[in-house]
Amino acid sequence: MQNEGRIVILGTGIMLGAHITPVAKSHLQAADVVFAAVTDGITEQWLQTMHDDVRSFAPLYELGKSRHETYQQMIDLMLTEVRAGKFVVGAFYGHPGVFAYAPHKVIELARQEGYEAQMLAGISAADCLHADLGIDPGRVGCQYYEASQFMFYQRVVDPSAYLVLWQITLAGDRSIARFDTGAAELQLLVELLSGHYPAEHQVVIYEAASMPFEQPRMEWIALGDLPTARLTLKSTLVLPPSRPLQKNSQMLARLQALQEL
Ligand SMILES: C[S@@+](CC[C@H](N)C(=O)[O-])C[C@H]1O[C@@H](n2cnc3c(N)ncnc32)[C@H](O)[C@@H]1O
């Protein structure tokens, strides 16, 4: 038998008031308590128009404090209310399952403890990116990486596909406690990429519009200029392919042979 409390983790989308799905909105309004992990006070105020008990996670973020600790606190706060038998909603900006640790973890833990737990999709920065930049991931493929993880581990880059680096402003942060890193870390990233992309390769700093009156930022720069570029917590770096798709002649020949059978 399932325990009484339940949790729904939903996405509020990127653009204020415009991206939340009808199903997410109805869960939000039906909840006993709403926890909010959104990017600004205006979005919190908008959530408060739909529910009178919205608790912000914003004060949990502090310069110099490990984000691991912050995420654990979010999880604990949500689970405490679930264990008290409440219907808890965790409202995360964008899509709650895209480049976000706490949403997946809290669902896993709630289910382990016998509570009903569900994630509802939201409009991610990725969705806006594909629309604004006109990139169809099906055309030549598209790789997504978190920028620091891309630097810390050996990755296999396919330069015939798009490469999208998330959290670019935190690239190379080993402390997990900063709000940005510096030109030196970005220079190392440029060096790491230089095996596949020349310094003059044109890349785009992308920021989806989060207010209805804003335009997306789509700033094209040479990769070599990344260390001095203006980056914010909203910036995502997109590298278009640097070489065309290479045919897999062996596989094509084998497929041809199959057809001829
Ligand atoms: C922790 S992730 C959260 C992503 C979020 N869950 C989503 O679905 O978009 C934060 C990263 O998402 C990207 N991001 C967030 N807001 C963005 C925006 N408005 N435009 C472009 N990228 C954004 C940036 O790479 C940022 O560092």
Side-chain angles (χ1 to χ4, degrees):
M1 212 187 75
Q2 271 194 327
N3 294 332
E4 203 188 323
R6 64 185 274 236
I7 184 161
V8 169
I9 301 291
L10 53 85
T12 58
I14 298 293
M15 185 178 283
L16 173 68
H19 282 178
I20 193 166
T21 63
V23 67
K25 192 173 174 181
S26 71
H27 279 82
L28 198 140
Q29 288 167 327
D32 294 319
V33 51
V34 176
F35 287 95
V38 293
T39 50
D40 53 70
I42 303 177
T43 307
E44 277 178 15
Q45 279 174 22
W46 166 67
L47 290 175
Q48 282 158 6
T49 65
M50 291 182 278
H51 201 285
D52 56 16
D53 188 2
V54 176
R55 305 181 194 173
S56 173
F57 282 144
L60 300 180
Y61 287 92
E62 279 169 44
L63 194 60
K65 172 179 167 186
S66 164
R67 281 193 295 284
H68 286 316
E69 193 186 332
T70 301
Y71 300 152
Q72 191 54 52
Q73 287 174 332
M74 291 179 177
I75 292 166
D76 291 343
L77 285 167
M78 290 188 279
L79 280 181
T80 300
E81 297 298 343
V82 174
R83 290 180 191 125
K86 300 217 178 118
F87 172 22
V88 175
V89 155
F92 286 73
Y93 81 95
H95 185 306
V98 174
F99 288 87
Y101 169 80
H104 286 291
K105 194 68 191 174
V106 75
I107 285 183
E108 181 194 322
L109 294 174
R111 284 182 184 156
Q112 270 174 18
E113 292 184 26
Y115 298 103
E116 191 186 326
Q118 187 189 7
M119 183 181 285
L120 296 175
I123 293 185
S124 168
D127 299 305
C128 303
L129 180 156
H130 289 291
D132 288 333
L133 293 172
I135 296 172
D136 178 351
R139 203 169 63 80
V140 291
C142 184
Q143 306 153 93
Y144 285 171
Y145 293 106
E146 197 279 325
S148 292
Q149 191 198 62
F150 181 81
M151 296 175 79
F152 299 161
Y153 297 89
Q154 311 264 354
R155 310 310 304 238
V156 180
V157 176
D158 176 358
S160 60
Y162 282 89
L163 176 66
V164 181
L165 295 178
W166 292 66
Q167 306 207 120
I168 188 67
T169 197
L170 303 174
D173 172 24
R174 299 191 66 203
S175 69
I176 330 182
R178 291 165 68 176
F179 293 152
D180 59 11
T181 50
E185 285 88 351
L186 290 168
Q187 187 56 46
L188 286 180
L189 176 63
V190 171
E191 276 176 36
L192 182 65
L193 291 164
S194 67
H196 300 287
Y197 307 91
E200 62 276 13
H201 190 66
Q202 290 292 304
V203 301
V204 57
I205 299 167
Y206 174 69
E207 290 176 13
S210 46
M211 294 292 155
F213 51 82
E214 277 177 359
Q215 291 299 314
R217 175 178 175 207
M218 296 180 279
E219 188 178 338
W220 288 90
I221 59 164
L223 177 60
D225 293 335
L226 182 65
T228 53
R230 184 176 65 83
L231 298 175
T232 74
L233 284 165
K234 286 186 188 176
S235 305
T236 298
L237 187 71
V238 182
L239 289 87
S242 61
R243 68 169 207 199
L245 291 170
Q246 313 284 304
K247 276 201 172 128
N248 184 339
S249 310
Q250 258 191 347
M251 183 53 74
L252 285 168
R254 289 178 68 187
L255 289 167
Q256 180 66 24
L258 273 185
Q259 255 179 23
E260 285 166 10
L261 271 182

